């Protein structure tokens, strides 16, 4: 088998508080912890070559923990949403 395409996984969150919508929000994938913005909703793999874990950036994690109704959803099959390469 060809195996799983790790570039075709998205992480969504619903029920976030603050100015964020209650509808599902798709998180942006960044390369690693250093790539986290600190403001945006982002995630990364523990290892980009052989991922074993999906990790939310600190600001994202905080937002999820502060929202009692927050729920995460993993979607497979569509290209991961990534930030435009601005740096």
């Amino acid at each position: 088998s060809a195996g799983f395409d790790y570039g075709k996984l998205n992480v969504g969150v619903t029920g976030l508080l603050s100015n964020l919508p209650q509808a599902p929000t798709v998180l942006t994938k960044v390369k690693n912890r250093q790539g986290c913005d600190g403001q945006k909703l982002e995630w990364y793999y523990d290892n980009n070559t052989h991922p074993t874990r999906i990790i939310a950036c600190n600001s994202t994690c905080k937002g999820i923990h502060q929202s009692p109704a927050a729920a995460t959803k993993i979607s497979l099959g569509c290209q991961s949403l990534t930030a435009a390469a601005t740096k």
Side-chain angles (χ1 to χ4, degrees), residues 2-87:
F4 178 70
D5 185 347
Y6 290 100
K8 293 195 171 175
L9 181 145
N10 281 293
V11 182
V13 181
T14 56
L16 288 172
L17 298 175
S18 78
N19 60 345
L20 299 164
Q22 295 295 305
T25 304
V26 178
L27 278 54
T28 306
K29 181 185 179 296
V30 293
K31 197 171 185 175
N32 50 33
R33 192 165 61 86
Q34 290 73 31
C36 292
D37 178 273
Q39 302 293 319
K40 301 188 182 95
L41 294 170
E42 298 169 323
W43 67 276
Y44 57 95
Y45 284 127
D46 60 336
N47 179 317
N48 283 309
T49 315
H50 301 288
T52 60
R53 292 193 310 148
I54 292 166
I55 304 166
C57 289
N58 282 350
S59 57
T60 307
C61 214
K62 219 173 277 177
I64 292 169
H65 286 297
Q66 288 170 353
S67 307
T72 54
K73 182 183 175 211
I74 308 296
S75 308
L76 307 176
C78 290
Q79 196 65 38
S80 298
L81 183 70
T82 53
T86 51
K87 292 175 188 161

